[in-house]
Amino acid sequence: LISVPIANEVARRVAESYLGSLIDGRATITKVRIGFHESRVEQLRVWSPGCDEPLLSVDELSVEFSIWNGIRNGIWLEDIVIDRPVVQVHYDTAGALLTNLSNILESQNETAPNTTLPFHNLEVHNARIEVRQKGRLPLDVNNVTLSAHSENAQLECHWAR
């Protein structure tokens, strides 16, 4: 992976700012490495306002891209691999969502539906989904593995509770 340290630091700061702004929260990234055909992000954390625990944590995210496929068919991303993500959602005692997802949900409503996946392959390894509600026992879904392939519109998902 060939990288330029200054570009990596700039990319890290821009990504932190952008991800934090999506939910009016904050984000941290330990390391970004940008290469000619692959980029990696390590230790990504995104916090919703007012939450002590991150809404999203990802140990490593790698993206392999293809300029040739991007020019040829508009799909620039070949492979996306997400290792050990954790999504944590909080509710109050009445069941109202405390985790701020409003900006993300509003931006989804503004765009037209798209049935074409913007990548060829997506792999999610060892994901965990944590649901927390005040006054209730926590719910965790562990060892989630997700695989999506745009060529045959196939989606597979496996998990253990």
Side-chain angles (χ1 to χ4, degrees):
L1 193 65
I2 299 172
S3 60
V4 179
I6 295 172
N8 292 340
E9 181 61 20
V10 169
R12 184 185 68 78
R13 290 176 187 243
V14 168
E16 286 178 343
S17 176
Y18 175 73
L19 290 171
S21 72
L22 282 176
I23 59 167
D24 294 329
R26 66 182 176 93
T28 61
I29 298 172
T30 301
K31 185 187 273 186
V32 172
R33 291 180 286 163
I34 300 173
F36 288 112
H37 298 289
E38 182 180 32
S39 293
R40 291 185 184 275
V41 172
E42 296 177 9
Q43 302 299 317
L44 165 67
R45 306 284 182 264
V46 180
W47 283 267
S48 184
C51 289
D52 296 331
E53 297 293 320
L55 160 68
L56 173 67
S57 301
V58 175
D59 281 355
E60 184 173 87
L61 165 69
S62 66
V63 178
E64 186 178 312
F65 41 90
S66 169
I67 295 171
W68 174 249
N69 280 337
I71 293 169
R72 201 175 76 215
N73 60 25
I75 298 178
W76 298 88
L77 305 178
E78 285 291 316
D79 297 309
I80 301 172
V81 179
I82 304 171
D83 287 319
R84 294 171 300 284
V86 176
V87 176
Q88 193 172 92
V89 182
H90 293 266
Y91 293 88
D92 67 12
T93 53
L97 182 65
L98 294 174
T99 305
N100 183 5
L101 301 174
S102 60
N103 288 354
I104 296 171
L105 297 174
E106 286 172 10
S107 69
Q108 291 295 323
N109 290 335
E110 293 171 4
T111 60
N114 185 358
T115 56
T116 304
L117 297 176
F119 53 82
H120 284 289
N121 299 301
L122 169 67
E123 299 286 334
V124 178
H125 301 254
N126 298 318
R128 186 170 73 237
I129 302 166
E130 301 175 350
V131 179
R132 304 290 183 259
Q133 183 175 5
K134 292 180 181 182
R136 301 259 175 130
L137 292 174
L139 170 67
D140 292 344
V141 180
N142 296 302
N143 302 319
V144 176
T145 300
L146 175 74
S147 179
H149 309 282
S150 65
E151 291 155 1
N152 54 9
Q154 182 178 7
L155 176 66
E156 297 175 16
C157 185
H158 306 278
W159 65 86
R161 182 167 180 209

